[in-house]
Amino acid sequence: IMAITINGSGTVTGVSVGGLPDGIVDTDMLAANAVAAAKIGAEEVTKDKQGPGSIVQCLSYWKDTVWSTTGNSWHDITGLAGTITPTTNSNKILIICSLGKMHNTAGSAGIRYNRTISSSTEQVGIGSSSGAGSRPRIAFNTYGDDIYNNNHAGSYSHHYLDNPTTTNEITYQVQVYPEGSSVYLNRSNDDTDENEIYRGRASSSLTLMEIVA
């Protein structure tokens, strides 16, 4: 049995691991920055301890199939919708939309995001421009044959930091408005099956991140 000795230097020897009673060491006894990352248990750093800008959760929705639509109206893009439930109503949601390939058979197409809270309260066009006169409110444009040609499609990426102020479930939907023609996602207008890089099919995604405010 090892004796416990209080040394003249103020140190204590002879105490084995686990030898102190529970609760005897409090936070005041720990030196600042004394706890290394390896000593922190998994899942012990909760959202209450995460600083502003920390990512609480990240959800990604990936679409690798071809999709198309036609008509002068707003259309939901199938597969580019995602649901997230914030942990606190002060946190923000970062929306990242990446379109690997989008091609309009004529001029431009407009993209916007719709937000629906608890499957009932929908807000149209969040992250869009404030508008000016009769101009449509959109988040960003994509282009087609009038700008490129019918073989080469553009790739697009856009992000928006939303402030939904809720802890209810939120669904974000990406929408497109073709300019009087058809629009294709993940392929070009001319989709001839040839071994050329510009003929390649692409993938698109929607990513939602909860960010500590």
Side-chain angles (χ1 to χ4, degrees), residues 73-94:
S73 61
W74 287 103
H75 303 268
D76 291 349
I77 299 180
T78 304
L80 288 186
T83 299
I84 190 169
T85 303
T87 56
T88 66
N89 62 11
S90 61
N91 285 351
K92 301 181 185 300
I93 304 298
L94 179 62

Side-chain angles (χ1 to χ4, degrees), residues 26-35:
D26 60 16
T27 55
D28 290 336
M29 297 179 68
L30 295 175
N33 302 315
V35 180

Side-chain angles (χ1 to χ4, degrees), residues 82-85 114-123 166-172:
T83 299
I84 190 169
T85 303
N114 282 5
R115 180 183 67 199
T116 303
I117 298 176
S118 299
S119 302
S120 59
T121 305
E122 182 178 34
Q123 184 170 353
T166 185
T167 55
N168 293 324
E169 182 182 82
I170 308 170
T171 298
Y172 293 96

Side-chain angles (χ1 to χ4, degrees), residues 50-72:
Q50 294 174 310
S54 299
I55 300 173
V56 178
Q57 55 178 320
C58 178
L59 304 173
S60 189
Y61 301 86
W62 185 58
K63 183 175 180 63
D64 65 346
T65 56
V66 168
W67 177 89
S68 65
T69 191
T70 303
N72 281 325

